[in-house]
Amino acid sequence: MSVYAKFVKKNDSDPVPPDPDPDIKEAKYAVQYFLQNVENDEYSLKETAGFSGPIGQEVNAKVKDFEHFTYSHGTLNGVVDEDNSLVLTVYYTRDVYAVTFNANGGKCDTASKPVVYDSAYGELPQAERTGYSFGGWFTAAQG
């Protein structure tokens, strides 16, 4: 952490800005954000953010919010290199939701099934009700 002196001209109330420290050199670094693919457990680059900081200073990546994704792992801190080579990485997995099966007066042997966000539900269970044929699963009880 650095602190800077503030000077006020004699007989003048306007502050004089401090001279920039010529000994502090800055370099660029990047933070890359990766989201888990829907078709496999690999990740794809969602976005890259560029920053600069004093050479030799430790910096931290911000864990951002991405809807339907949860922070998983990454390289969240590092030291700014003179050659602009520092790249911090942040990885997010897809959220998993429970799809519950309401047999709506019938019987279903499966109460719920985990489904990864934005993926296909896969095979769904069958339901039975005496005197009826099963017509499929819907998002509303009627209609």
Side-chain angles (χ1 to χ4, degrees):
M1 180 173 115
S2 299
V3 293
Y4 298 91
K6 177 181 175 182
F7 296 96
V8 177
K9 289 182 183 180
K10 291 183 181 181
N11 300 324
D12 191 354
S13 61
D14 293 333
V16 175
D19 292 329
D21 188 340
D23 295 332
I24 297 178
K25 294 188 175 26
E26 292 201 346
K28 295 179 181 179
Y29 68 97
V31 179
Q32 294 180 332
Y33 295 92
F34 293 87
L35 302 182
Q36 184 182 32
N37 298 333
V38 70
E39 65 276 359
N40 57 38
D41 287 333
E42 295 179 13
Y43 296 83
S44 294
L45 180 64
K46 169 71 173 169
E47 63 184 54
T48 300
F51 301 95
S52 64
I55 295 170
Q57 179 178 338
E58 184 170 336
V59 292
N60 300 303
K62 177 184 176 192
V63 175
K64 298 171 68 170
D65 291 327
F66 290 100
E67 190 173 12
H68 304 294
F69 290 85
T70 301
Y71 166 74
S72 172
H73 64 283
T75 304
L76 297 182
N77 53 47
V79 176
V80 178
D81 296 321
E82 185 174 346
D83 63 359
N84 303 311
S85 65
L86 178 62
V87 178
L88 303 177
T89 54
V90 188
Y91 291 85
Y92 298 80
T93 55
R94 289 178 176 272
D95 289 342
V96 177
Y97 298 95
V99 175
T100 56
F101 301 102
N102 181 331
N104 204 16
K107 178 184 171 196
C108 178
D109 292 335
T110 304
S112 66
K113 176 181 181 170
V115 177
V116 174
Y117 167 70
D118 210 24
S119 69
Y121 284 28
E123 189 173 330
L124 300 178
Q126 295 288 313
E128 300 174 346
R129 185 172 176 187
T130 304
Y132 294 85
S133 59
F134 179 62
W137 295 105
F138 299 89
T139 57
Q142 296 179 358

